Amino acid sequence: MAQSYSNLTASKATLGSIKAWVNYAEIDADEVLLEAEQWIYKRLRIEDMIAITTGTMAIGTDTVSKPTRWRGTMSFTITGTDKASLKRKEAGEVENAFQYDGTSVRVNEKPTRYYGLASSFQLDSPPDKAYPYRIVHYAALAPLTSSNETNALTDAHPRLLRAACLMQANEILKNPEERAYWHA
């Protein structure tokens, strides 16, 4: 049976629903599905997840916000006439590259390196110009909801989605053996 949000979150009587899979009508199928998707997107990298985000760096601002639903960077490039690839480095290496003027103010120049923070990228220098950029990255697919019934998980990877849902459901049901089986 084809998977969809409506089918997965349907009643225990519905073949292919999370509640039917675990034979428990009271489980919060929406929560199980959300946790399963989050677990998958921490690990899965497929073409359907590749996205491109473009923008312009703000002069004097040494961070760039991470793209929506970001899960991993493939490339970070300054585009246009100043084209250059920014290199991902360890935090210490980027921090050690900070340049200061005689009054302890960061020197603005063309960034060359970055590292990741929780919701942004830290650049090795505040930009001296409004550099356009392009980030090719992995992004979590739009979550399954009543307005987004299917995605690449339901269409191309239904077994993975089912296993992740059953793993999460059995964690909630405190069934470690079943959880371990579906995790494997």
Side-chain angles (χ1 to χ4, degrees):
M1 171 171 283
Q3 290 181 343
S4 68
Y5 171 81
S6 293
N7 184 258
L8 290 165
T9 59
S11 74
K12 180 181 162 190
T14 303
L15 187 63
S17 72
I18 294 168
K19 292 175 182 184
W21 289 338
V22 296
N23 195 27
Y24 185 63
E26 302 304 313
I27 198 156
D28 185 346
D30 283 306
E31 183 65 23
V32 168
L33 182 58
L34 176 65
E35 289 179 7
E37 286 182 284
Q38 290 172 346
W39 184 87
I40 289 168
Y41 296 138
K42 286 182 182 176
R43 293 154 180 81
L44 185 68
R45 299 295 180 263
I46 57 174
E47 278 187 0
D48 293 302
M49 295 174 67
I50 296 174
I52 296 172
T53 299
T54 59
T56 303
M57 295 176 186
I59 297 172
T61 301
D62 67 352
T63 58
V64 171
S65 294
K66 285 184 177 173
T68 305
R69 296 191 316 271
W70 176 90
R71 291 294 178 263
T73 305
M74 298 171 74
S75 67
F76 189 167
T77 308
I78 292 175
T79 60
T81 57
D82 294 302
K83 184 175 179 176
S85 287
L86 277 71
K87 303 296 180 204
R88 183 178 187 92
K89 299 291 183 179
E90 294 294 321
E93 184 176 337
V94 173
E95 296 278 334
N96 288 334
F98 287 2
Q99 298 293 319
Y100 297 91
D101 67 13
T103 62
S104 296
V105 174
R106 296 274 308 278
V107 175
N108 292 0
E109 57 189 1
K110 182 178 175 182
T112 61
R113 295 170 277 199
Y114 73 96
Y115 69 90
L117 299 168
S119 60
S120 62
F121 298 113
Q122 174 66 57
L123 305 173
D124 62 347
S125 63
D128 58 345
K129 292 172 36 176
Y131 295 106
Y133 65 84
R134 175 182 170 102
I135 302 172
V136 180
H137 59 97
Y138 290 104
L141 303 173
L144 292 167
T145 64
S146 59
S147 59
N148 186 46
E149 286 278 334
T150 62
N151 63 21
L153 292 179
T154 58
D155 297 343
H157 306 284
R159 170 73 169 78
L160 173 62
L161 182 58
R162 180 166 49 103
C165 285
L166 284 166
M167 178 186 70
Q168 295 300 340
N170 280 291
E171 179 177 303
I172 291 167
L173 296 173
K174 299 186 181 356
N175 187 339
E177 294 82 18
E178 280 293 310
R179 184 192 184 287
Y181 173 81
W182 290 106
H183 184 267

